[in-house]
Amino acid sequence: MTNTHDAEDLHRRWAETVTAARHGHTADPAPYAANLLARWSEPRRHYHTLAHLSSVLGHLDTLADHAADPELVRLAAWFHDAVYHPERDNNEDRSARLAERALPELGLSSAATAEVARLVRLTATHDPDPEDTNGEALCDADLAILAAPPEAYAAYASAVRTEYAFVPDPDFRQGRAAVLTQLLALPRLFRTPYGTGQWEDAARHNLSTELMLLSP
């Protein structure tokens, strides 16, 4: 759970990001922040929470120099799980459509809005094209949890299982194992130089450990 101080910091960060990304003063950004924070606070969420949003934004501070448009990447982070129903497979598209409605009202150009929506949709695959520095920064920040210390990684894995509590255990274990296997088969989990150097080895160790624990 995010405390009042954390919520105030997120409100501040949102206002600063919107102000830096838009042209001129249009709608007040505060109600939009309130709406997004309410979405990220829904009771169905156990991993995709305000803590995850704060974490991704923090990692983007580290990766900001890699991105061509760091403020647009930060806006994409705000929207990337704004719509989240674990039983659905269109969350990224619905989150992107939310951004496409909100950002023009906040004064962002059509090109900036389109870039944010593209980045949100990219989190469905975490597979940015080469030279897509915005996409690389967002995807690496979103996946940085994979490189967390073992106890934090175990808490992440447990929270994901809780979000999918409606899935029977054998089916979840099979599906989760398939996801982990697919990730481990990638030549690189992280695309930024920082992510490759600082997170790759730890993430592969965590994924391999979880996969081993899922085995019968």
Side-chain angles (χ1 to χ4, degrees), residues 35-42 45 47-53 56 76-82:
N35 179 276
L36 286 167
L37 293 176
R39 290 173 177 274
W40 282 91
S41 301
E42 292 163 338
R45 298 168 182 253
Y47 169 64
H48 296 86
T49 63
L50 285 173
H52 173 57
L53 172 61
V56 172
W78 275 90
F79 282 97
H80 82 286
D81 284 322

Side-chain angles (χ1 to χ4, degrees), residues 71-81 90-104 108-125 132 134-135 138:
E71 300 307 329
L72 299 186
V73 179
R74 289 186 175 100
L75 286 174
W78 275 90
F79 282 97
H80 82 286
D81 284 322
N90 64 345
N91 291 310
E92 292 83 6
D93 183 62
R94 295 180 68 200
S95 296
R97 285 189 275 127
L98 180 66
E100 288 168 338
R101 294 194 301 271
L103 294 178
L108 269 75
S109 68
S110 58
T113 298
E115 175 64 359
V116 172
R118 180 189 74 82
L119 291 169
V120 173
R121 291 186 171 98
L122 183 61
T123 60
T125 62
D132 178 8
N134 286 344
L138 179 63

